[in-house]
């Protein structure tokens, strides 16, 4: 890979990296959106219209985290961060906690986290393990019916965008892993890097933005990602 030995790496992951852990992706056959209208469960308007349905949807996904484990791809990215002499920033669109549990630390959850709840009144973000109901009070301001999943919904601004774009501008290597490339701004990250940055897509199928990448590898994340990390650390 054309890459300085201690260059700066930015990684973007999507649902495909967690698929082999048993977390459903969004757009593959049998994907998460199939049983629901996206507007119902992933927009502020959907939450306003039916908060109980939205809380139930994310409660189930939060509960599922207890049944899944990080896989070899998550572990490989944590190892890259630990062993690479340069900077490694991992940006994930995933709201699961599998990167965290695998040991990644320089990690941005740009679409939020299932294991957090946010108060719509005082804006405090609370660690959250159990179920949320319409009557769950905020532990800080104690207002009822004000806690929502700490998830970025359609129409809302993803988190930490200035930090992400700054890292992309200075990146020597950008890799997108397990993402379909249809949801912006993440799908546009490959266009935000400088002209000398090497760009690689690692995905089961060609993404919607595959032509913007200089290199692509097709296959399962648990096979592609450990090999990709081994090659980087061996150079
Ligand atoms: P998608 O479900 O759109 O895409 C998952 C991608 O992973 C597809 O391109 C699959 O081909 C690929 N894939 C599936 N299994 C894989 C495997 N074992 N190894 C490698 N690749 C595999 O998920 P995202 O691109 O993450 O946003 O979706 C982006 C955003 O859309 C999500 O963060 C979510 C959703 O709306 C919010 O909730 C805000």
């Amino acid at each position: 890979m054309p890459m300085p030995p201690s260059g700066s790496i930015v990684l973007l992951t999507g649902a495909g990296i967690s698929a082999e852990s048993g977390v459903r992706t969004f757009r593959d056959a049998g994907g998460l959106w199939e049983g629901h209208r996206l507007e119902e469960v992933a927009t502020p308007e959907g939450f306003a219209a039916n908060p109980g349905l939205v809380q139930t949807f994310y409660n189930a996904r939060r509960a599922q985290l207890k049944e899944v484990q990080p896989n070899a791809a998550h572990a490989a990215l944590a190892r890259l961060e630990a062993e690479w002499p340069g900077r490694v920033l991992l940006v994930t669109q995933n709201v699961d906690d599998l990167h965290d549990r695998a040991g990644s630390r320089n990690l941005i959850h740009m679409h939020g986290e299932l294991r957090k709840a946010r108060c719509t009144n005082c804006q405090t973000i609370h660690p959250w393990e159990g179920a949320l109901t319409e009557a769950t009070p905020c532990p800080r301001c104690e207002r009822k019916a004000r806690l929502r999943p700490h998830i970025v919904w359609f129409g809302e601004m993803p988190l930490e965008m200035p930090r992400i774009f700054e890292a992309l501008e200075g990146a020597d290597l950008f890799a997108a892993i397990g993402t379909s490339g249809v949801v912006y701004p993440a799908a546009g990250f490959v266009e935000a890097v400088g002209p000398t940055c090497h760009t690689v897509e690692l995905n089961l199928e060609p993404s919607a933005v595959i032509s913007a990448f200089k290199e692509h590898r097709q296959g399962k994340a648990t096979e592609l990602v450990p090999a990709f990390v081994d090659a980087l650390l061996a150079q």
Side-chain angles (χ1 to χ4, degrees):
M1 231 167 298
M3 169 77 183
S6 59
S8 179
I9 300 175
V10 179
L11 306 155
L12 171 70
T13 62
I17 198 166
S18 295
E20 290 164 82
S21 290
V23 181
R24 281 197 287 170
T25 61
F26 295 93
R27 295 176 182 79
D28 294 301
L32 195 58
W33 295 139
E34 281 199 349
H36 300 270
R37 282 178 48 236
L38 191 150
E39 295 78 11
E40 282 174 344
V41 294
T43 61
E45 294 77 18
F47 185 57
N50 195 342
L53 171 79
V54 175
Q55 297 288 23
T56 303
F57 177 78
Y58 291 99
N59 286 343
R61 300 185 60 204
R62 192 178 304 111
Q64 195 212 4
L65 296 183
K66 299 199 170 97
E67 290 153 23
V68 297
Q69 301 298 330
N71 64 45
H74 299 102
L77 296 186
R79 190 162 72 85
L80 180 63
E81 182 187 326
E83 296 182 16
W84 181 253
R87 189 176 161 201
V88 177
L89 175 66
L90 174 52
V91 180
T92 188
Q93 299 169 86
N94 298 344
V95 295
D96 66 50
D97 61 350
L98 297 178
H99 284 305
D100 311 66
R101 280 155 58 191
S104 288
R105 292 293 168 260
N106 199 18
L107 170 64
I108 295 177
H109 279 277
M110 64 176 285
H111 288 166
E113 292 171 75
L114 281 169
R115 289 179 61 207
K116 290 185 179 164
R118 184 163 85 241
C119 178
T120 56
N121 181 48
C122 71
Q123 304 302 326
T124 306
I125 297 164
H126 302 280
W128 210 269
E129 298 298 331
L132 283 169
T133 73
E134 289 176 70
T136 311
C138 170
R140 180 152 177 264
C141 71
E142 298 182 346
R143 292 271 292 269
K144 282 196 176 138
R146 293 285 174 153
L147 284 177
R148 57 166 277 180
H150 183 47
I151 302 288
V152 175
W153 287 323
F154 286 92
E156 297 181 323
M157 182 61 82
L159 308 174
E160 302 211 47
M161 295 310 291
R163 207 178 127 204
I164 295 170
F165 277 104
E166 195 190 313
L168 288 167
E169 281 160 24
D172 297 295
L173 172 65
F174 171 70
I177 302 163
T179 178
S180 58
V182 298
V183 175
Y184 284 79
F189 287 174
V190 63
E191 310 275 12
V193 301
T196 59
C197 180
H198 187 62
T199 54
V200 193
E201 171 172 295
L202 308 173
N203 209 42
L204 196 57
E205 303 162 343
S207 80
V209 290
I210 192 168
S211 59
F213 287 84
K214 292 177 180 164
E215 182 187 342
H216 31 89
R217 303 180 189 182
Q218 217 171 308
K220 290 180 176 177
T222 56
E223 291 163 13
L224 293 184
V225 180
F228 170 74
V229 168
D230 284 347
L232 272 172
L233 292 175
Q235 74 175 16

